[in-house]
Amino acid sequence: MANINVKEYQPEARTTKNRLSWLWAEYSVIIAFIILFIGSSVLNPRFLDINNQLNILMQVSIIGIIAMGMTVVMLSGGIDLSVGSVLALAGVISVLALNASGSILVGVLTALLVGSFAGFLNGLMVAKGRIASFIATLGMMAGARSIALYIADGGSVSGEVSGFTAIANSDFWIFDVPVLIFFAMTALVYVLMHKIRFGRYVYALGSNEKAALLSAIRVDRMKIGVYTLIGTLVGVAAVIETSRLNSISSSSSGAQYELDAIAAVIIGGTRMTGGRGKIIGTLFGVLILGILNNMMNLMNVSPHLQGFVKGLIIIIAVVFQKRE
Amino acid sequence: MTENPFIKMQTIKKSFNGVPVLKGVALEVQKGEIHALLGENGAGKSTLMNILGGVHQPDSGTIYIDGKEEKMLDPRISQEHGISFIHQELNMVSDLRVYENMFLGSELRSKVGFLKVEEMCKQTHEILAKLGVDIDPKEYVRNLATSYKQLIEISKALLHNSRLIIMDEPTTSLAEHEVSRLFGLMKNLKKSGVSIIYISHKLKEIKEVCDRYTVLRDGELVRTGSMEHENIETITKTMVGKAISQERFLHEHPFGRVVLEVDGLTSDAFKNIDFTVRKGEIVGFTGLAGDGRTELFESLFGFRKKYTGEVKINGQAVKIDHPRKALKAGLGLVPRDRKENAIIKDLSVLHNMSLSSMGNFEKRGFIRDKEERKKFQFYKEALNIKVHNPRITIDKLSGGNQQKVIIAKWLEAETELLIFDNPTQGIDIGAKQEIYQQIVELAKLGKAVIILSSEAPEVLRICHTINVMFQGEITARFSAEEANEEEIMNYATGSKREVAKIG
Ligand SMILES: Nc1ncnc2c1ncn2[C@@H]1O[C@H](COP(=O)(O)OP(=O)(O)OP(=O)(O)O)[C@@H](O)[C@H]1O
Ligand SMILES: [Mg+2]
């Protein structure tokens, strides 16, 4: 259109009070994280130990990778309950492929493929079948677990290729490789959501699906893409999970991962109904969960009570969100 | 003026994020008067009403009701004082039935707590009948046309025994005869002592029904007085600071080849639709609620899929079953009812603007924020969009400014044919002029434009060709010179049909 001189936008001055309330609204999860971090250091001196810190990161890496995918799904207005089961299924099949082929690459690719295919099926059910994501992925949760159990005959399968365990058990500089993979996946999802149009469309879809469609967005394809993405990330998580102990259990691996991932996303400030939330928020949500677990271990809280504490935190986070 | 006005607001101040929106505004409303609240888009009308309605809290200032100071801490308190609020944007729950929406939050219950469904349906039916609307109270709201939703929204406010009804642009999707029914009702209410605050950008309506008026500009009160001694021109002048002509836009230019050709389009909402649009032509479609024009163009745009007939774009038959395909084929649609169909309320103003034309802002697949900001700056000036910071979410803008962003979004898509459905919904008279200017500009550049409007004067002002629809059929087609409001009404209400002329 016509040429006119373009002025750069000048942000107006903010008052201090406004700035503080804005800071709180935007970054409440980071502030909560800092408070928790300081509180933990005071409560238990061992908390600050660098090895403990790195340990926390290692412990959250698998849930963290899944939570990144979960953020995208929840921003689009859906949910994925099948992540734990799909992780077990991808793990089992990839170990079989690994052992049969003797190639680590084939094992890894199989995990990714199984994960993304399961996600793709979820996406198809939600987008084309118009099934509520809660129901569709609940079905996948039961189905994937059952197939994993069937293939592994209810037990565990172990890798027989040397070198496979190196993926999750080596480190690079001071970081364990899974932690680096977690960071890389976080960066990847960040770019997807904020630097290219994919993210825009996901936010639009989660905020107002009808308007997104009328804005000429391929809503169905976006949904399929979103579930395929989380499936692929679950595949990545499955590789780490399997490689860590060189085996995967068809019955217990991945159990309740969906709860932890959803908890991290909610604590991170993403709205349950979609459209609003941040990748960075989820990152800190994951870290908060990690610190809580770690502190409860350090302070010898009974493992049976840890679920209670986690549940409480989720509810508090949601109450805070509601207040907005 | 009597000593004690029914409502008195004094030195109301309100800022959002440090930006002052109301700078000490006063408002007085007498018992049993219809008071017009006027001002440009973003002047602060809705904000002032939100304060009276308890939606927002003022930073300072006082509200008196019947001479007593009251604090409107939340909407419920305001309601208890007998204030009903018809908001600017529709607030219907689409998945509920009509009567359920009407009684949402104030359901009628029997002594043991059962819902009195039949009683609620009966009351719903009665009140809708007063507005001349005949719909089944058990119909789901999602199946209704926008104008019906607006009428239901109005009825909802009438349901309570209110002493004051705030109407924030209640007629944006209503046709003329629906508006006059509403006015009849308002005059009756007035007689029974109910006060009404009436916000509208249609000054003709204001002149017809309002007793007094208050004009806001940039959050300040600039004038208040009695309607009798004023004419529309002076009020316009106080509002926008200049005179606005209501003349037809003169723009004679030759048309190019045919861009869109529609042949025998039929679905359950319309039948046997034939028309063509040429490059550079502005074609209008008007009619009353239920005329099928919105459905027709939503079908052409691929949003609705169940229709038969032939559509040709640039001479080629096309089958469009998704809005994306429509966009690729060169069709754009600015939908009606922005809150439901166009606004992505969690995205910023900038991101709403660029949503349908991401390709314009990308380099090697990555979005360039700077390009978005530049482009927005352009539209901000061209359409006079009032926003302090384009990074805030779009729902923070005033209604009219949201509409301008949606128009910018589709102008930016640069399609060969652009369909505007009720494009000036909530836009002030000054900005309307600018939008018409943009549309004419598009036509001069050789783009084809289609305008759907329930207002005959709007299509008369800028269209070359005018189609009138009645119950799903095109009943008349005029060229701009031969059309007039009266004739259009005759065909729109079905009292005349001119089948021979078409085809
Ligand atoms: N929640 C909010 N946060 C920030 N700014 C706001 C908010 N609500 C309104 N504003 C700003 O206040 C100004 C006045 O808005 P308001 O909605 O009162 O205008 P209006 O007179 O009703 O205009 P219109 O005719 O377009 O409806 C606008 O500039 C708008 O951007
Ligand atoms: Mg308004």
Side-chain angles (χ1 to χ4, degrees):
Chain A
M1 304 207 102
N3 288 324
I4 55 160
N5 48 349
V6 173
K7 277 181 289 186
E8 271 295 282
Y9 157 73
Q10 305 278 335
E12 75 282 358
R14 292 173 196 274
T15 60
T16 327
K17 179 170 157 255
N18 277 321
R19 181 171 285 162
L20 279 181
S21 70
W22 172 80
L23 209 68
W24 172 251
E26 289 286 293
Y27 295 109
S28 45
V29 54
I30 301 185
I31 297 168
F33 168 79
I34 294 172
I35 294 171
L36 182 66
F37 193 91
I38 295 174
S40 302
S41 339
V42 174
L43 273 176
N44 195 317
R46 268 193 298 160
F47 172 76
L48 275 182
D49 186 276
I50 184 72
N51 284 322
N52 186 47
Q53 293 288 311
L54 292 172
N55 186 31
I56 294 177
L57 283 178
M58 178 69 188
Q59 308 247 283
V60 300
S61 55
I62 289 177
I63 289 300
I65 291 168
I66 298 173
M68 286 304 148
M70 193 66 83
T71 313
V72 180
V73 172
M74 288 175 67
L75 281 173
S76 80
I79 198 157
D80 188 349
L81 300 177
S82 69
V83 288
S85 302
V86 171
L87 180 130
L89 180 65
V92 167
I93 298 182
S94 75
V95 170
L96 295 185
L98 174 78
N99 292 346
S101 68
S103 150
I104 295 173
L105 184 69
V106 170
V108 171
L109 286 181
T110 308
L112 299 186
L113 220 67
V114 173
S116 50
F117 184 67
F120 178 74
L121 286 183
N122 278 333
L124 272 188
M125 286 191 281
V126 173
K128 300 288 182 193
R130 308 207 170 274
I131 304 171
S133 58
F134 180 82
I135 306 296
T137 59
L138 193 68
M140 179 60 77
M141 178 181 179
R145 178 68 70 186
S146 156
I147 295 175
L149 285 167
Y150 176 75
I151 294 176
D153 213 7
S156 303
V157 288
S158 305
E160 292 154 9
V161 178
S162 64
F164 183 61
T165 49
I167 298 176
N169 295 304
S170 44
D171 41 31
F172 193 77
W173 190 41
I174 58 168
F175 291 112
D176 299 295
V177 169
V179 174
L180 295 175
I181 297 178
F182 169 40
F183 287 164
M185 291 301 130
T186 305
L188 175 80
V189 172
Y190 181 83
V191 169
L192 284 179
M193 293 307 287
H194 293 295
K195 297 293 166 196
I196 69 169
R197 64 166 86 176
F198 174 84
R200 287 289 169 80
Y201 290 175
V202 171
Y203 277 101
L205 167 61
S207 179
N208 185 346
E209 181 168 343
K210 192 175 175 197
L213 178 59
L214 281 168
S215 300
I217 293 172
R218 288 265 187 194
V219 167
D220 286 0
R221 289 189 193 172
M222 291 311 298
K223 286 186 185 165
I224 295 173
V226 160
Y227 287 92
T228 309
L229 173 69
I230 188 173
T232 315
L233 289 171
V234 169
V236 173
V239 172
I240 299 175
E241 178 96 14
T242 314
S243 150
R244 196 136 84 174
L245 299 169
N246 198 23
S247 94
I248 186 133
S249 153
S250 61
S251 60
S252 64
S253 287
Q256 304 222 332
Y257 279 16
E258 63 284 340
L259 283 186
D260 282 1
I262 293 168
V265 176
I266 300 273
I267 293 171
T270 296
R271 190 169 58 190
M272 280 295 288
T273 50
R276 192 117 135 222
K278 290 203 178 73
I279 303 301
I280 305 297
T282 299
L283 175 62
F284 281 94
V286 168
L287 294 179
I288 287 176
L289 275 185
I291 294 180
L292 278 174
N293 274 336
N294 182 254
M295 278 306 287
M296 288 191 283
N297 287 335
L298 287 180
M299 301 186 68
N300 290 321
V301 177
S302 156
H304 299 304
L305 267 183
Q306 296 189 359
F308 172 78
V309 175
K310 224 183 281 177
L312 206 65
I313 300 287
I314 298 173
I315 290 167
I316 292 174
V318 173
V319 169
F320 261 92
Q321 262 192 42
K322 273 262 165 66
R323 280 232 308 244
E324 266 189 15
Chain B
M1 228 170 280
T2 49
E3 297 286 287
N4 257 342
F6 172 47
I7 299 270
K8 187 165 161 190
M9 299 176 83
Q10 254 181 354
T11 56
I12 303 286
K13 288 190 185 162
K14 176 76 184 169
S15 311
F16 289 109
N17 305 319
V19 182
V21 167
L22 295 175
K23 308 167 187 167
V25 174
L27 178 69
E28 285 184 11
V29 181
Q30 308 293 332
K31 191 166 156 40
E33 77 163 350
I34 303 181
H35 194 107
L37 185 57
L38 306 171
E40 285 181 292
N41 293 135
K45 307 180 292 295
S46 299
T47 307
L48 187 66
M49 290 303 103
N50 279 331
I51 287 173
L52 185 56
V55 181
H56 289 319
Q57 294 308 310
D59 298 339
S60 66
T62 37
I63 301 172
Y64 300 92
I65 297 180
D66 276 336
K68 240 179 73 201
E69 182 175 345
E70 304 283 357
K71 289 242 180 305
M72 301 295 181
L73 294 175
D74 66 54
R76 206 150 266 278
I77 294 183
S78 171
Q79 236 169 43
E80 279 160 15
H81 283 295
I83 299 176
S84 294
F85 197 160
I86 303 169
H87 287 272
Q88 185 166 14
E89 311 291 340
L90 298 175
N91 283 309
M92 302 258 107
V93 185
S94 335
D95 290 325
L96 291 183
R97 299 168 197 273
V98 171
Y99 81 87
E100 289 170 326
N101 264 293
M102 291 279 283
F103 286 88
L104 201 62
S106 56
E107 289 85 357
L108 302 181
R109 287 175 194 279
S110 64
K111 285 201 188 89
V112 276
F114 286 111
L115 289 176
K116 293 201 270 186
V117 174
E118 288 314 315
E119 176 64 21
M120 288 194 280
C121 286
K122 197 176 126 247
Q123 289 194 19
T124 304
H125 187 80
E126 278 167 10
I127 210 137
L128 285 173
K130 277 192 209 164
L131 282 164
V133 181
D134 182 27
I135 40 179
D136 181 4
K138 288 191 175 150
E139 179 69 271
Y140 282 101
V141 163
R142 75 174 104 87
N143 299 332
L144 297 177
T146 316
S147 59
Y148 287 136
K149 290 185 200 166
Q150 201 157 36
L151 288 165
I152 294 170
E153 199 82 61
I154 294 169
S155 317
K156 201 171 154 183
L158 301 178
L159 203 59
H160 310 286
N161 279 326
S162 320
R163 294 194 289 164
L164 171 76
I165 305 178
I166 302 170
M167 299 187 171
D168 196 347
E169 300 192 40
T171 61
T172 46
S173 5
L174 301 188
E176 204 126 342
H177 79 291
E178 292 161 332
V179 174
S180 56
R181 272 235 176 71
L182 172 64
F183 285 177
L185 209 69
M186 284 165 65
K187 285 172 187 160
N188 278 339
L189 282 170
K190 183 170 102 173
K191 276 196 207 113
S192 59
V194 177
S195 312
I196 295 173
I197 298 179
Y198 189 81
I199 301 179
S200 173
H201 293 293
K202 300 178 183 171
L203 290 182
K204 224 175 80 190
E205 295 181 353
I206 303 273
K207 187 75 191 158
E208 189 180 328
V209 76
C210 295
D211 305 310
R212 290 195 318 125
Y213 70 94
T214 296
V215 180
L216 301 184
R217 189 156 82 209
D218 285 331
E220 278 169 292
L221 190 149
V222 286
R223 198 183 173 112
T224 176
S226 164
M227 212 70 205
E228 276 175 349
H229 315 297
E230 301 290 346
N231 60 24
I232 291 178
E233 282 73 38
T234 42
I235 297 178
T236 314
K237 242 182 184 157
T238 36
M239 255 169 72
V240 296
K242 60 179 184 220
I244 298 284
S245 95
Q246 297 290 326
E247 294 281 284
R248 257 183 63 81
F249 273 74
L250 289 176
H251 47 92
E252 297 307 328
H253 54 254
F255 301 142
R257 61 183 158 74
V258 171
V259 176
L260 175 70
E261 192 177 345
V262 173
D263 197 10
L265 226 56
T266 302
S267 86
D268 48 13
F270 48 85
K271 49 184 181 286
N272 281 322
I273 303 289
D274 304 318
F275 67 92
T276 58
V277 184
R278 287 162 292 176
K279 277 169 92 68
E281 190 177 20
I282 305 177
V283 178
F285 282 79
T286 184
L288 308 180
D291 64 354
R293 63 176 190 278
T294 295
E295 290 82 357
L296 168 61
F297 285 94
E298 282 180 353
S299 303
L300 279 176
F301 191 60
F303 181 69
R304 291 166 190 263
K305 299 179 184 72
K306 289 193 189 113
Y307 64 92
T308 55
E310 201 180 23
V311 180
K312 280 187 188 165
I313 293 178
N314 290 328
Q316 273 197 328
V318 287
K319 181 77 196 153
I320 294 174
D321 55 8
H322 192 284
R324 187 91 210 162
K325 287 191 187 163
L327 181 66
K328 286 230 171 83
L331 254 55
L333 170 69
V334 178
R336 62 160 38 197
D337 192 358
R338 59 174 168 269
K339 185 180 174 194
E340 189 177 319
N341 298 325
I343 295 292
I344 311 279
K345 69 175 192 309
D346 296 306
L347 285 186
S348 69
V349 174
L350 282 175
H351 294 178
N352 266 283
M353 185 243 353
S354 60
L355 194 63
S356 294
S357 52
M358 292 305 302
N360 297 0
F361 304 99
E362 285 170 337
K363 192 171 178 182
R364 287 193 226 97
F366 287 95
I367 301 167
R368 291 178 298 169
D369 300 349
K370 209 171 154 202
E371 293 302 310
E372 280 181 325
R373 262 178 289 141
K374 268 193 201 163
K375 226 9 194 284
F376 181 75
Q377 195 62 35
F378 167 76
Y379 287 113
K380 186 180 164 178
E381 276 162 39
L383 302 179
N384 192 11
I385 303 174
K386 203 175 150 196
V387 53
H388 289 277
N389 176 355
R391 285 195 194 80
I392 59 173
T393 51
I394 191 166
D395 58 342
K396 303 276 167 24
L397 259 56
S398 83
N401 285 304
Q402 293 180 16
Q403 184 71 19
K404 293 179 203 168
V405 175
I406 298 306
I407 290 177
K409 157 175 153 184
W410 280 103
L411 290 178
E412 182 56 26
E414 296 189 319
T415 51
E416 212 176 337
L417 171 72
L418 195 47
I419 305 159
F420 292 90
D421 194 352
N422 205 10
T424 53
Q425 175 190 354
I427 288 192
D428 71 48
I429 40 171
K432 241 180 214 173
Q433 204 80 359
E434 272 139 30
I435 283 165
Y436 292 151
Q437 198 61 50
Q438 287 285 328
I439 291 175
V440 169
E441 222 47 60
L442 281 182
K444 277 191 193 147
L445 287 172
K447 310 258 161 142
V449 178
I450 294 176
I451 294 181
L452 319 187
S453 176
S454 49
E455 285 172 72
E458 177 159 89
V459 289
L460 277 169
R461 258 179 96 187
I462 55 169
C463 294
H464 298 115
T465 314
I466 295 162
N467 295 278
V468 186
M469 287 182 71
F470 173 68
Q471 293 184 347
E473 285 179 274
I474 298 180
T475 48
R477 179 170 299 148
F478 303 102
S479 74
E481 293 77 34
E482 54 187 18
N484 64 52
E485 236 173 285
E486 203 176 323
E487 275 294 275
I488 289 179
M489 274 320 284
N490 284 338
Y491 287 100
T493 51
S495 58
K496 243 170 140 184
R497 288 174 96 89
E498 198 176 352
V499 187
K501 203 166 170 187
I502 300 158

